[in-house]
Every structure is written in structure tokens, then in C-alpha cells.
Amino acid sequence: MATQIGQREVFNNARRLVDAAGLSTSATVLSQSFLRSEVAMSTTTTSYHIPILVNDNQNGATSSYNTSFLLALQDAFVVSSIFIGWANPTSVTDAAFIPQSYPNPQIAGTQPIATALQAIYSSNLQVNVNNRQILTGWDTLRHYYVPQTQQQAAASLVTHISQADLSENGFYPVEPNLVFVGSKNNQVTLNFPQALGSVPTSTFGRLVIIFRGILAQNCTAVR
């Protein structure tokens, strides 16, 4: 549960880490923010590149969806919590979808596809900054959250949705905090033991990774 005291500690940690990275906080604005990176699912990929910077085009046309929110080169970001889940938008530009914290068959389309998506929670996240490995293996199982009340197929005019509090469900705190600096080479990968057996038939299914924390604006040498 998020608390005022906890958020104050996150802020204080961020200020110390930004200064320790050689980026003075005396002339920058620190504020709560987030990064959101989305990657198209594939039945042939075992290692997904997760874009962090606004100029990252490694994934081609899907490097930055309209619902992505990436880091500017002149900024730095201190990560205090991470969400790893998935979504099944209705189109490339759909912005009305909610990221899922478990393989919801009503969203996936069928139960077999939902079962295949359980492999998301056998993957691990790795982070390298300037060729230095910062995070060697962050297990995604800690993000698996099945709510007590789950979405069911509509039996009337009312569609019941899954119980979820996305201020915390599916998010996990990061300690020690990660620091992404816009002027550095930030490489984040999500590694699977094997490729997904199935993906949503809509072909728009994607992985969703959200970093929450503190943004330090205009603190790098990039202008």
C-alpha cells in the first residue's frame, strides 16, 4: 500500500542516487513519474528488447506505441517499483485497454491462449547500463496477481470485470533502486525459457512493462 511516508523515502533515495550518479539535483526538478514500455508478443522470440529511451528504435515500428511513455535523453529516472504484464488492444493505436496481471482468458480470447501466456511469469528481466550488468535476473513471477473476483463472460447487459487495484497489484518494489540516465546506453531485456506457444489472435497482443519512480528533469549533458 502506498503511503506518504513511503513516497517521501522514495524521493529522498532518488535525490541521493541522482547526486551519486554525478547529476546535480540542485538545478533540476524532481517529481513522481513513470516509464511505460510495450513490446509486441511473438511465438518465435525468446528475448524481448524493452525500449527505455525516446530515440530507441530497435524494435522498428513497434518501438514506441501511442500508450508508451519513454525517457527523454536530457532526463534521468530512479525506479522504485516495476509492473510486468500483458495486454490485448483492439488495434495498434487503441488506448482504452487495461494491462493484465494474470492470463485472463476473457482478454486473451481463449483458455488455451491464456494457458500459453502463463509463460510470461517464467521469464526474467535483465538490465545493463553502459555495458555494466545492473540487474542479473528479476523473476517475473512476483508480478503474477490473480484477483479474488475475476472477469467472466457477459451473461447479461452487464460485463463483470476483474477486481484490480493498479496502484499496487502487479507492481513490486525495487530496492536498491535502479537509475536510468537518458545520456547512457540503457539495455533492458525480458528473457523467456522458450517462445510463447500462442499469442492473442487479434495480433495486437503485447507485453507491458511499467516503471514507477522519480523523474529528474534536464539533468544530463544532453540539451
Side-chain angles (χ1 to χ4, degrees):
M1 177 183 294
T3 66
Q4 192 76 21
I5 294 174
Q7 292 304 305
R8 172 55 60 179
E9 189 60 29
V10 167
F11 174 82
N12 289 334
N13 281 345
R15 184 168 52 187
R16 288 191 292 267
L17 287 168
V18 170
D19 283 333
L23 308 168
S24 175
T25 57
S26 61
T28 188
V29 175
L30 298 178
S31 59
Q32 287 193 14
S33 191
F34 74 105
L35 303 177
R36 175 165 165 159
S37 190
E38 302 180 3
V39 183
M41 293 182 189
S42 170
T43 56
T44 60
T45 300
T46 58
S47 183
Y48 292 86
H49 172 72
I50 309 302
I52 296 298
L53 302 178
V54 292
N55 67 340
D56 187 332
N57 59 5
Q58 185 169 325
N59 291 339
T62 61
S63 289
S64 182
Y65 291 100
N66 61 325
T67 44
S68 296
F69 195 82
L70 303 178
L71 183 64
L73 304 187
Q74 64 268 29
D75 298 340
F77 188 81
V78 180
V79 181
S80 62
S81 65
I82 301 175
F83 171 93
I84 298 175
W86 66 282
N88 188 21
T90 58
S91 70
V92 173
T93 57
D94 179 18
F97 62 91
I98 301 296
Q100 301 295 304
S101 63
Y102 76 105
N104 181 344
Q106 303 303 323
I107 300 296
T110 68
Q111 184 59 59
I113 293 176
T115 299
L117 294 182
Q118 290 178 359
I120 294 172
Y121 302 97
S122 295
S123 63
N124 70 86
L125 191 75
Q126 295 183 342
V127 176
N128 284 268
V129 177
N130 281 0
N131 297 317
R132 179 186 178 189
Q133 195 164 46
I134 304 301
L135 197 61
T136 58
W138 175 276
D139 71 281
T140 53
L141 189 59
R142 69 186 77 193
H143 300 284
Y144 182 77
Y145 174 78
V146 181
Q148 290 180 320
T149 302
Q150 300 164 34
Q151 183 175 1
Q152 301 295 320
S156 65
L157 296 178
V158 178
T159 300
H160 298 282
I161 64 174
S162 297
Q163 170 189 354
D165 178 359
L166 291 179
S167 68
E168 57 179 293
N169 297 155
F171 283 87
Y172 199 90
V174 181
E175 190 62 45
N177 299 146
L178 301 174
V179 182
F180 294 127
V181 179
S183 59
K184 293 185 177 181
N185 179 20
N186 304 282
Q187 295 294 322
V188 179
T189 55
L190 190 61
N191 301 303
F192 285 67
Q194 63 181 37
L196 291 168
S198 298
V199 297
T201 54
S202 70
T203 73
F204 301 119
R206 64 187 74 162
L207 300 169
V208 180
I209 296 86
I210 301 173
F211 303 92
R212 285 179 177 162
I214 301 296
L215 178 70
Q217 301 178 52
N218 301 312
C219 63
T220 75
V222 179
R223 289 293 182 268

